[in-house]
Amino acid sequence: MKKIALQLMIPAALLLLSACGGGSGSAPSSTQADAAHTEAMVQNTYPSNGSAQAMANTKLSATFGGALDPSTVNSRTFVVKKAGSTPVSGSVSYSGVTAVFTPNSPLEVNTVYTATLTTGVESTDGTPLGTDYSWTFSTSPDGDGLPPSVTTTAFAVTQVNGVYGGVVVAFFTDAMDPDTINPENFLVQGPGGDLPGTVEYIGLSAVFLPSQPFAPDTHYTATLTTGVKDMTGQPLTKPVSWTFETPHVSILTGQSTTVATVAPSNMSTGVTLDSEVTVTFSQTMDPATITPNSFRLIDPSGSPVAGTVQYSGLSATFVPASPLQPDTTYQVVVSASAASLSGVPMDSAYHWSFTTGSESSNVPPVVQFTTPLAGDTSVALNDSILVAFDEPMDPLSLTTSTFTVDTADGMPVSGMVTYTGLTAVFTPSQQLDPGVVYTARVSTGAKDASGTPMTSDYVWSFTTGNAASVTAPQVLFTDPALGDANVPSAGPQIDIAFNEVVDPRTVNAGTIVVTGPDGAPVAGSFTYMAFAVIFTPSAPLQGLAQYTVTVNTGVKDLNDNAMPQDYSFYFSTAAAAGSNRPS
């Protein structure tokens, strides 16, 4: 038996069936539309159409693409006949998305039968089958002569209406009797004993849905007992058990806590001796988990550097107690114990390194650009104000006291300031007023990572328009482009350009995901450039391999508009240096 772990959406058959709307082009005839609708509603049957191996004591089943109105599934709407004969006497039951016809006595052997689902069958919203659905099969003395068995098992991550969870799935070789697919015969045990839940039978699969969430990173055991039987009444020859481990909390809950940017950047050189070390996260963290134990600077001997840790907004800063040593490589570790305010820890520790130069820095920071720009008009009312610097800043020095926005008559705008990478963003507490001149100011209280302040206040003004922006950010182009081949595996950069300035707080490993040929995320760092983002892998890529990049809907612009849908592209690497390309 093959055991696999996979991530998939909850099967469509577990969702309520909804009526489909029309499309473009010429309209199909009503007969064609009715037939297509019926084909969509009926997913599969047992015995299958044309089967010649049905046993005389078999039950019949039909599995649907969604839930039905149980009152419409009965012996008048699910009919079995022998050619030229009256209907076979039997009872009809319905469970989950499967209807079962049980003959009152065994069928005749070597006989052709036709089963029909009539248009009296309706979904829960009252939509009937468009046409009668019929299939034909014949019986044989011994059928296939084989008992049922389990082919594959899986733990599947599900998402229903934005809520994540997990289910356990077992796939069978034969159509099973839904009455035997139940919590008494499908057991799941965890550290605390039996896990309560319900069981659904869909097609050739049994699905265990827990009544309480699965715990992440936890071992469970699932068991199918010999009470599980196929449609002919044959049971499993012996109980089937398997173990599985649930994935990290970020996968199981759809939430993630990741490192967005770091300063000094990974593998940077010439870092000044009075530098502080800053890490910016993908979401607001629990300050109690950001400590010298979870955020460490380590010297070449493996000893931690003495210092203090400060946290503000989305960023944590390690302030060394004394200047760093010249021409020295330091390691930085953010441990997996660092967790968000919602309690979601990092999946794993985050490491990077940098090398110092020989001097301290006393060069003051400079503003590189802003958005809105100085003098801009028709600025959207839901805009945030961004300022980018030429070097890493001390996040604790960028607050609503040092980064302010005022009206022309000096009335301050309330809001919050966050720092990410080389940028600070002022987000107003409410929309700006239309047709108003606003003045933004970054004062000399703003300091770089070594504590050097700006030489003077940086001041600029802009004017609002009359409406909020609803334009969603979209990817304009990428480098590598979709389908590019022979991309260098050593030292590659992945550039993604957008149609507008994106919010740096939404650029991280949770929203822009690079995966390799094994499906695992590629570690790396992000460089934010307003209209573009650069991803630099932490290590060389695998040669002669395909990589996929996905920019998901977590990426937003400065107006809080999200990407309308995920954007994915792939590229292939060239042979790694020193390797032999296959002939």
Side-chain angles (χ1 to χ4, degrees):
M1 178 182 65
K2 181 181 178 184
K3 292 186 286 185
I4 60 173
L6 73 164
Q7 177 177 354
L8 51 88
M9 306 300 287
I10 195 166
L14 291 183
L15 306 178
L16 293 181
L17 185 69
S18 59
C20 300
S24 60
S26 60
S29 69
S30 60
T31 301
Q32 291 173 322
D34 289 344
H37 176 68
T38 298
E39 292 288 342
M41 284 185 70
V42 182
Q43 297 290 301
N44 56 59
T45 64
Y46 177 83
S48 59
N49 187 41
S51 170
Q53 291 185 317
M55 295 182 68
N57 62 340
T58 191
K59 298 179 181 179
L60 286 72
S61 69
T63 301
F64 298 86
L68 302 178
D69 178 353
S71 66
T72 68
V73 184
N74 50 56
S75 57
R76 297 185 304 275
T77 59
F78 191 164
V79 181
V80 180
K81 287 184 177 182
K82 186 173 65 171
S85 179
T86 58
V88 173
S89 175
S91 60
V92 175
S93 61
Y94 174 74
S95 176
V97 292
T98 301
V100 176
F101 180 94
T102 305
N104 289 340
S105 57
L107 303 176
E108 297 178 29
V109 297
N110 298 321
T111 302
V112 176
Y113 287 88
T114 298
T116 300
L117 297 165
T118 76
T119 55
V121 174
E122 297 180 359
S123 61
T124 52
D125 64 1
T127 303
L129 288 178
T131 60
D132 288 353
Y133 184 93
S134 297
W135 71 100
T136 301
F137 64 93
S138 60
T139 54
S140 66
D142 58 359
D144 61 12
L146 299 174
S149 62
V150 176
T151 59
T152 305
T153 64
F155 177 84
V157 175
T158 62
Q159 183 189 22
V160 181
N161 297 327
V163 178
Y164 283 76
V167 298
V168 186
V169 187
F171 299 89
F172 299 94
T173 53
D174 301 319
M176 306 301 290
D177 184 346
D179 289 340
T180 69
I181 307 296
N182 53 54
E184 286 72 38
N185 293 329
F186 193 165
L187 310 174
V188 177
Q189 293 181 318
D194 289 344
L195 192 68
T198 59
V199 177
E200 297 278 1
Y201 177 68
I202 304 168
L204 296 180
S205 63
V207 182
F208 178 94
L209 302 94
S211 302
Q212 61 193 44
F214 283 102
D217 299 306
T218 302
H219 285 280
Y220 288 87
T221 299
T223 301
L224 291 166
T225 74
T226 54
V228 173
K229 300 178 181 179
D230 66 15
M231 295 296 286
T232 67
Q234 291 195 84
L236 292 173
T237 55
K238 61 181 179 179
V240 177
S241 293
W242 68 97
T243 61
F244 60 92
E245 182 176 1
T246 51
H248 294 311
V249 65
S250 61
I251 297 174
L252 194 56
T253 65
Q255 299 176 319
S256 62
T257 301
T258 60
V259 170
T261 59
V262 298
S265 59
N266 184 40
M267 302 183 71
S268 58
T269 58
V271 175
T272 56
L273 306 183
D274 51 359
S275 291
E276 299 172 351
V277 181
T278 300
V279 55
T280 301
F281 297 93
S282 61
Q283 56 181 308
T284 304
M285 304 295 286
D286 180 354
T289 68
I290 309 298
T291 68
N293 291 326
S294 62
F295 184 4
R296 293 173 294 153
L297 180 63
I298 301 172
D299 67 20
S301 70
S303 302
V305 175
T308 59
V309 173
Q310 302 167 332
Y311 178 76
S312 175
L314 297 174
S315 300
T317 300
F318 182 92
V319 182
S322 58
L324 302 177
Q325 295 298 311
D327 303 313
T328 301
T329 298
Y330 288 88
Q331 301 288 329
V332 192
V333 178
V334 179
S335 76
S337 62
S340 69
L341 272 180
S342 60
V344 178
M346 294 175 57
D347 279 352
S348 60
Y350 189 92
H351 302 253
W352 79 98
S353 65
F354 63 87
T355 303
T356 56
S358 58
E359 299 179 352
S360 296
S361 171
N362 55 7
V363 177
V366 174
V367 172
Q368 293 282 77
F369 69 87
T370 67
T371 181
L373 296 170
D376 268 359
T377 58
S378 300
V379 172
L381 305 184
N382 56 341
D383 217 356
S384 293
I385 296 89
L386 177 146
V387 57
F389 300 91
D390 67 336
E391 60 175 312
M393 303 292 287
D394 178 358
L396 302 180
S397 72
L398 288 163
T399 67
T400 51
S401 297
T402 59
F403 186 177
T404 60
V405 179
D406 301 311
T407 62
D409 56 6
M411 293 296 294
V413 175
S414 63
M416 63 177 293
V417 174
T418 53
Y419 176 77
T420 305
L422 300 179
T423 61
V425 178
F426 181 100
T427 304
S429 301
Q430 57 188 28
Q431 285 194 2
L432 302 175
D433 293 327
V436 172
V437 176
Y438 288 90
T439 298
R441 179 187 302 269
V442 180
S443 75
T444 54
K447 303 176 182 179
D448 65 17
S450 64
T452 303
M454 293 178 58
T455 55
S456 60
D457 290 359
Y458 188 91
V459 183
W460 76 103
S461 297
F462 57 89
T463 305
T464 53
N466 296 310
S469 171
V470 295
T471 301
Q474 296 188 28
V475 174
L476 287 182
F477 63 86
T478 65
D479 185 17
L482 172 66
D484 271 0
N486 296 320
V487 174
S489 58
Q493 280 190 170
I494 300 172
D495 301 339
I496 304 169
F498 297 88
N499 63 327
E500 58 176 321
V501 176
V502 294
D503 187 337
R505 296 168 296 185
T506 68
V507 174
N508 52 63
T511 59
I512 300 178
V513 183
V514 182
T515 54
D518 59 355
V522 175
S525 59
F526 293 91
T527 302
Y528 172 81
M529 302 179 67
F531 284 89
V533 173
I534 299 174
F535 177 83
T536 305
S538 301
L541 301 180
Q542 179 180 331
L544 298 176
Q546 181 170 297
Y547 286 80
T548 300
V549 183
T550 300
V551 183
N552 67 38
T553 55
V555 173
K556 300 181 179 180
D557 63 16
L558 287 172
N559 310 112
D560 202 37
N561 298 313
M563 289 264 298
Q565 60 190 17
D566 291 358
Y567 181 93
S568 293
F569 63 98
Y570 65 90
F571 62 89
S572 300
T573 55
S579 66
N580 293 320
R581 184 183 295 271
S583 57

